[in-house]
Amino acid sequence: MNEDSPLKQTPLHALHVSLGARMVPFAGYDMPVQYPAGVMKEHLHTRSAAGLFDVSHMGQVILRPKSGRIEDAALALEKLVPVDVLGLAEGRQRYTLFTNDEGNILDDLMVANRGDHLFLVVNASCKEADFAHLQKHLGETCELTLLDDRALIALQGPRAECVLAELWADIATMRFMDVAEAALHDVPCIISRSGYTGEDGFEISIPAASAEDVTRRILEHPDVMPIGLGARDSLRLEAGLCLYGDDIDTTTTPVEAGLEWAMQKARRSNGAREGGFPGAGVILRQFTDGAGRRRVGLKPEGKAPVRGGAPLFADTEGKVPVGTVTSGGFGPSADHPVAMGYVDIAHTANGTQVFAEVRGKYLAVTVSALPFVTPTYKR
Amino acid sequence: MLKFTDEHEWLKIEGDVATVGITAHAAEQLGDLVFVELPEAGTALDKGATAATVESVKAASDVYCPLDGEIVESNQAIVDDPALVNSDPQGAGWFFKLKLSDPSAVNALLDEAAYKELIA
């Protein structure tokens, strides 16, 4: 990202400013890091009621098969991802990853089967590269569109369903990872029951021209509060969800990252469509034999947060390195510091004590099960 | 006498001891604090040395020693409850008391009007 290029704005930029948000540069966009309520209140409100996030900076991509057959788009995409896209039913979405020839991760994304096309949501910082990657490998079989005329918002938390049910009664019939089309305030939206907080919730793709109006109306509901990037990070961290660029990147494999669950049987060894994605050799071998290191949850024993980049050691003097923290901070719902990172395979068992170097001290950190909070997805 | 630094600290000067904290502006910019680490009494610090560390949900920040001196007391109350720094930054949320090596050095610090201009 060129530091000098002017920051882009989402269709909700003016709304954030009018709500008193503190704006910061993020992935080339001028984004709200927090609103006047502050990160702590925003985080807790999302877990107790409903939080509204602007995630319009993320890339929304349509993959339309030139043959008209959705199977062709699914099989084409499977060449780039280690998951079962062909088996994804219409109206369903799943988490996946773009891998490279080394078996490392280029991006993580959501893919939905929308009947006559696939709908992808990718990270803001990767969207141009992802789109070029798709063009290069799928351009023959699919017509690709990176949508620049749609906003994306997320409404997350235990009250999200009730709030949206006032606009569309059928929302209650959706299960976790369902995708549907519905009109909210007469605006046609694409709604998925998913999110990035560990809470039940929805992501809503809205035509840009109507985005501010629809969002303002949802914000009028007394249960809904706008939430900035600060709380978005602490919420996903407590939920044990990876942040691309911090917890997963082109130096980590899906197996090291503990993302085996995202790879369905059909793509694993002896599956119906075994391998056939970039880096399959490395990834399938690690799937069977394990990797030398693994992403784990880390609970600092003291009050001091342990943040991304902190080296981890087996001892209190920093002599035996065992890994690195990739992201960490304070978990407002957990009410203690929370972190995740990679440790050598010998130190991955829950309860293992390691030591993080923070400002010259070696702080006790316990390997802990992720997530730090119990997810409330409506499966 | 109340003085300020361009690092957003305030100093309440009584004789040769300065009570030091961060300004309301700084507390607001940092957001909700969740952790505070303070220097121990007896620690000698130079002007500009890291005296304390504060952490919000999102990030860690250093608090610098505003003048040469020796720490004579730290405020355990903000270690136990970092939110005090947000709720009362220029009162109960004080950080430490510093015995100044050279009390006349305070004259070079900002007065309230100059600080207000700095953050305007």
Side-chain angles (χ1 to χ4, degrees), chain A residues 22 33-34 37-41 229-230 233-234 303-307 328-330 332 358-359 361, chain B residues 28-35 37 53-62 78-82:
Chain A
R22 185 182 302 166
V33 67
Q34 64 171 76
V39 175
M40 193 79 83
K41 284 200 181 77
L229 292 176
D233 192 53
S234 56
K303 288 175 75 175
V306 173
R307 302 192 186 267
F330 183 80
V358 178
R359 295 185 288 273
K361 293 178 187 164
Chain B
E28 201 260 322
Q29 289 295 313
L30 289 167
D32 304 310
L33 295 187
V34 297
F35 177 75
E37 190 167 61
T53 301
V54 295
E55 302 221 21
S56 67
V57 177
K58 208 50 195 132
S61 310
D62 289 330
I78 64 168
V79 174
D80 297 338
D81 181 14

Side-chain angles (χ1 to χ4, degrees), chain B residues 11-13 25 29 57 60 74 79 82 85 87-88 94 97 118:
Chain B
L11 296 84
K12 189 175 156 207
I13 295 144
H25 172 77
Q29 289 295 313
V57 177
S74 284
V79 174
V85 178
S87 59
D88 191 8
W94 63 277
K97 295 186 180 180
L118 178 77

Side-chain angles (χ1 to χ4, degrees), chain A residues 39-338:
Chain A
V39 175
M40 193 79 83
K41 284 200 181 77
E42 291 172 27
H43 177 115
L44 296 171
H45 185 88
T46 304
R47 295 237 188 273
S48 66
L52 189 143
F53 305 72
D54 178 13
V55 287
S56 305
H57 56 313
M58 298 184 81
Q60 304 179 60
V61 181
I62 283 182
L63 221 75
R64 200 175 287 279
K66 287 181 178 169
S67 67
R69 302 186 329 129
I70 190 75
E71 297 81 8
D72 292 338
L75 287 170
L77 184 59
E78 283 195 359
K79 292 191 178 119
L80 299 181
V81 301
V83 315
D84 181 358
V85 185
L86 190 63
L88 185 64
E90 182 172 346
R92 294 287 292 162
Q93 167 177 287
R94 88 180 7 152
Y95 176 78
T96 183
L97 308 155
F98 287 129
T99 52
N100 66 16
D101 290 339
E102 288 72 49
N104 294 320
I105 302 171
L106 292 171
D107 196 9
D108 64 341
L109 66 146
M110 287 289 186
V111 54
N113 178 340
R114 298 261 298 122
D116 62 351
H117 67 274
L118 298 177
F119 183 60
L120 277 50
V121 178
V122 304
N123 280 302
S125 57
C126 302
K127 65 182 175 185
E128 271 85 26
D130 287 347
F131 192 69
H133 185 58
L134 286 163
Q135 278 288 13
K136 183 177 169 192
H137 297 279
L138 274 61
E140 299 258 302
T141 44
C142 297
E143 200 179 292
L144 293 152
T145 317
L146 177 58
L147 301 177
D148 56 6
D149 57 353
R150 294 188 82 89
L152 190 66
I153 63 169
L155 188 68
Q156 301 279 299
R159 300 289 299 159
E161 181 189 275
C162 296
V163 170
L164 292 177
E166 291 176 16
L167 308 181
W168 181 46
D170 288 352
I171 198 133
T173 65
M174 292 181 76
R175 288 182 301 134
F176 182 57
M177 295 295 226
D178 275 353
V179 180
E181 216 170 303
L184 304 181
H185 293 295
D186 298 321
V187 176
C189 297
I190 302 162
I191 305 174
S192 75
R193 193 158 198 163
S194 62
Y196 192 47
T197 59
E199 296 297 321
D200 178 32
F202 303 86
E203 293 197 346
I204 308 168
S205 173
I206 314 171
S210 308
E212 182 170 341
D213 182 47
V214 171
T215 305
R216 273 190 191 278
R217 285 160 177 252
I218 294 173
L219 279 171
E220 279 168 13
H221 195 289
D223 288 341
V224 181
M225 186 185 266
I227 311 296
L229 292 176
R232 181 167 161 83
D233 192 53
S234 56
L235 287 158
R236 69 92 196 166
L237 188 54
E238 282 184 343
L241 300 169
C242 291
L243 172 62
Y244 190 81
D246 284 10
D247 305 303
I248 48 175
D249 58 23
T250 53
T251 68
T252 58
T253 70
V255 176
E256 289 172 339
L259 298 173
E260 293 99 328
W261 57 267
M263 295 172 55
Q264 290 76 25
K265 263 192 189 146
R267 308 302 305 281
R268 300 182 193 172
S269 297
N270 305 314
R273 294 182 310 288
E274 168 183 339
F277 51 85
V282 174
I283 293 168
L284 293 182
R285 190 164 61 246
Q286 286 189 350
F287 210 111
T288 309
D289 301 342
R293 59 175 191 153
R294 193 169 176 85
R295 183 177 62 96
V296 295
L298 299 164
K299 179 182 181 292
E301 290 309 315
K303 288 175 75 175
V306 173
R307 302 192 186 267
L312 293 165
F313 298 92
D315 61 298
T316 55
E317 288 163 359
K319 289 189 174 143
V320 185
V322 294
T324 310
V325 175
T326 49
S327 56
F330 183 80
S333 302
D335 200 25
H336 57 71
V338 292

Side-chain angles (χ1 to χ4, degrees), chain B residues 54-78:
Chain B
V54 295
E55 302 221 21
S56 67
V57 177
K58 208 50 195 132
S61 310
D62 289 330
V63 176
Y64 303 107
C65 194
L67 292 171
D68 294 353
E70 183 185 317
I71 303 295
V72 290
E73 190 183 346
S74 284
N75 184 9
Q76 182 63 30
I78 64 168

